[in-house]
Amino acid sequence: MASSVEFVKYVCEKLKVAGEITFKRMFGEYGLYCNGKFFALICEDQLFVKPTQEGRQILEQYNHEIIEGSPYPGAKSHFILDDFEEEVFVRAFMGATYEALPFPKPKKQKASKKIKEERLPLI
């Protein structure tokens, strides 16, 4: 079952205390970005956040149960976050996770295709 757009918008609204949250449809589900950094997936109406040591520390500090799972078969384990109501926790958790994740690598520009020169036979 695919995630509902309503759920995705709800999660984005709750997480916006951490920065500009945007989403993009990916593989039938949704990828979430914070200030341009990819940080989470929403699959089957569950939020899967990329795991970081800093994020784990915030979960422990706020006494949140650390639940991990894979968003899809073959994927690495992520934190499953189901509590978005406590603004202070969300800001701390998202801030720590955001800071720990790298910015995306710039895409290499494709080399322009060289046009083959046709040589005319010399007369």
Side-chain angles (χ1 to χ4, degrees), residues 55-67:
R56 183 178 299 279
Q57 290 171 351
I58 297 296
L59 288 169
E60 291 171 353
Q61 180 182 338
Y62 282 83
N63 295 318
H64 277 264
E65 182 180 0
I66 299 174
I67 304 168

Side-chain angles (χ1 to χ4, degrees), residues 93-109:
F93 177 73
M94 291 300 302
T97 299
Y98 174 83
E99 290 298 323
L101 292 173
F103 274 104
K105 294 177 184 175
K107 293 183 180 180
K108 294 181 181 178
Q109 292 182 350

Side-chain angles (χ1 to χ4, degrees), residues 25-70:
R25 190 144 172 91
M26 305 173 102
F27 312 109
E29 294 290 356
Y30 296 89
L32 298 184
Y33 296 80
C34 180
N35 300 327
K37 269 189 201 179
F38 178 72
F39 74 95
L41 294 164
I42 293 182
C43 299
E44 297 183 10
D45 286 339
Q46 282 191 306
L47 176 62
F48 293 87
V49 179
K50 285 188 168 192
T52 63
Q53 190 57 39
E54 294 81 353
R56 183 178 299 279
Q57 290 171 351
I58 297 296
L59 288 169
E60 291 171 353
Q61 180 182 338
Y62 282 83
N63 295 318
H64 277 264
E65 182 180 0
I66 299 174
I67 304 168
E68 295 186 47
S70 296

Side-chain angles (χ1 to χ4, degrees), residues 13-33:
E13 181 67 26
K14 292 297 182 180
L15 299 182
K16 75 178 185 181
V17 298
E20 181 185 1
I21 305 297
T22 57
F23 63 91
K24 181 178 178 182
R25 190 144 172 91
M26 305 173 102
F27 312 109
E29 294 290 356
Y30 296 89
L32 298 184
Y33 296 80

